[in-house]
Amino acid sequence: MRLRVAVAGLGAIAQLVHLPMLERRGDLFETVALCDPSATLTARTAVRYGVARRYTDVTAMLDAGGFDAVLVLTSGSHGRVVADALRRGHAVLCEKPLAYTRAEVAEIAALEDPDRPRLMVGYMKQYDPAVQRMAGRRLDVRAVQVTVLRPSDRSQLAFARLPAPPADVPAEVTDRLRAQDDALVRAAIGDAHQEARWLYTTTMNSISHDLSLLRLLAGGPSEVDHATTWPGAGGRSVELSGPLRAGGRYAVHWHYLSDYPAYRETVAVHHATGTSEVVFPTPYLPGAAARLTDVGADGRLSYSDVTGSFERELAAFHEMVTDGVPPLTGLRGALEDVVTAQQAVTRLLQRDGLTPGGEAHPHLELA
């Protein structure tokens, strides 16, 4: 079955990865509608991919219908758009994060059928061949160490020579979207100081990829017992650590390094008989393969597969819609991300003798 797809959000990841991949997998998908607040960008992209229906308002696109599924690639929280799409009967592939609050996740849960999922959260690294190879093993995990070295978007995207974003998005639209996300962050953690707000949005918008890998490889964090951030030249760093559900402990070190030469993400699983380590390149180069290195009694063995994680993710989305195959991350995983991020903020504020408000308030249930 070939799915008719609408795409909401036409930023860099849509231009460089999702739209070319939908075109490449024309055996599975047909892109029939595009939406972005920029009319110029929408028109330009529609011409490039031969799409007749174009919108600048996502609600108008959802109301018009005429498609089976929606790719939600906008920035910030996606809770409202996802809920609106599900209410209208569409399946959804949503870029991370699904939502900023537990309340948004609960609203979406009321629209989902647990026996026939219609929602996939786009953690493409879970579908990477190297990760899948590692996840298929039963290991006595002692520790998982994650290190992310993240350059600026400008540095990562320089190779693509994308045109400058059009300046035709009305200021009131930008202000409204920013205010909506600000209100959701306040609902999640209260009126916390700027460092805590930055930690929360960084965890939800970027570190959540690593939380998804921790879930797949070791059951995910059972809690956060340490969280801190610190400044440096060109940006801030994050450290999160705590116990894993499968046993052992995790540590995440995330560094924004504006002038670092290239994106690099390393996930090392130390277990009773060796170490398995995956190194990811920048996600904006879908043809660049992650590399798995195993160190054990047999020496050092390496593995990589050029079949891209985004392509595997899209194929899994098609299987979910057509055959009901559950995604690797749905509502439960998305909720765990929110809870973990709120726990991280709680630990950070406790360091300063403070308590969070909103959903993260310690008198509220965190699990």
Side-chain angles (χ1 to χ4, degrees):
M1 175 183 176
R2 196 165 178 240
L3 297 179
R4 297 167 301 162
V5 174
V7 178
L10 302 177
I13 198 68
Q15 295 176 56
L16 293 176
V17 179
H18 287 289
L19 288 168
M21 196 59 65
L22 287 168
E23 183 179 54
R24 177 176 174 177
R25 295 309 309 263
D27 57 323
L28 301 179
F29 302 97
E30 177 188 7
T31 304
V32 299
L34 299 175
C35 179
D36 191 272
S38 168
T40 301
L41 179 57
T42 303
R44 185 171 67 208
T45 309
V47 170
R48 161 65 181 84
Y49 289 97
V51 178
R53 297 170 55 195
R54 56 194 73 171
Y55 302 87
T56 57
D57 180 77
V58 68
T59 301
M61 183 179 75
L62 295 175
D63 285 342
F67 41 84
D68 308 300
V70 183
L71 268 62
V72 180
L73 312 179
T74 52
S75 60
S77 173
H78 302 107
R80 180 186 66 82
V81 175
V82 169
D84 288 348
L86 291 173
R87 285 192 188 94
R88 289 162 174 80
H90 306 304
V92 178
L93 170 55
C94 173
E95 271 287 355
K96 51 75 188 165
L98 174 64
Y100 279 165
T101 65
R102 282 179 276 171
E104 293 172 277
V105 177
E107 179 183 2
I108 295 168
L111 302 169
E112 267 281 67
D113 180 350
D115 297 323
R116 185 76 184 194
R118 294 184 296 149
L119 170 65
M120 170 189 281
V121 184
Y123 289 120
M124 81 292 184
K125 291 173 183 175
Q126 292 186 316
Y127 292 93
D128 188 278
V131 171
Q132 287 288 305
R133 189 180 181 98
M134 186 161 55
R137 305 165 179 170
R138 292 188 176 183
L139 302 173
D140 178 9
V141 175
R142 302 300 174 85
V144 181
Q145 295 176 305
V146 179
T147 302
V148 180
L149 307 175
R150 189 192 189 285
S152 66
D153 286 340
R154 181 177 180 180
S155 172
Q156 291 189 72
L157 294 170
F159 78 94
R161 301 186 185 279
L162 294 174
D168 62 338
V169 180
E172 58 268 24
V173 172
T174 302
D175 292 344
R176 172 171 51 81
L177 294 174
R178 184 180 295 115
Q180 288 173 353
D181 277 350
D182 287 346
L184 290 169
V185 173
R186 285 197 302 274
I189 62 173
D191 293 317
H193 54 55
Q194 187 58 38
E195 182 186 1
R197 291 173 60 84
W198 180 85
L199 173 61
Y200 192 72
T201 55
T202 299
T203 302
M204 293 304 304
N205 294 338
S206 184
I207 297 174
S208 57
H209 268 302
D210 304 295
L211 300 181
S212 79
L213 293 174
L214 291 175
R215 281 197 303 275
L216 185 66
L217 299 174
S222 61
E223 66 174 301
V224 179
D225 61 19
H226 171 74
T228 191
T229 82
W230 64 97
R236 297 191 70 86
S237 295
V238 175
E239 180 179 84
L240 304 178
S241 63
L244 291 160
R245 287 194 175 91
R249 290 183 61 83
Y250 70 92
V252 176
H253 293 91
W254 185 98
H255 306 283
Y256 184 85
L257 306 167
S258 59
D259 297 323
Y260 200 75
Y263 179 95
R264 183 180 176 88
E265 179 177 358
T266 304
V267 179
V269 179
H270 304 293
H271 51 90
T273 57
T275 294
S276 297
E277 179 182 272
V278 176
V279 179
F280 297 93
T282 176
Y284 295 112
L285 287 170
R291 178 168 293 276
L292 169 64
T293 301
D294 286 314
V295 178
D298 295 332
R300 182 180 293 267
L301 306 174
S302 294
Y303 166 84
S304 64
D305 186 329
V306 296
T307 306
S309 56
F310 281 103
E311 182 172 353
R312 287 177 172 238
E313 178 187 68
L314 265 181
F317 179 61
H318 188 274
E319 286 186 327
M320 183 194 78
V321 178
T322 58
D323 298 327
V325 178
L328 292 178
T329 293
L331 280 168
R332 181 173 179 177
L335 178 59
E336 289 182 10
D337 292 341
V338 174
V339 171
T340 300
Q342 292 181 5
Q343 289 179 333
V345 167
T346 299
R347 295 293 176 256
L348 181 74
L349 292 175
Q350 286 175 342
R351 179 201 67 185
D352 300 330
L354 303 172
T355 56
E359 293 178 341
H361 192 282
H363 296 305
L364 298 177
E365 182 63 39
L366 283 178

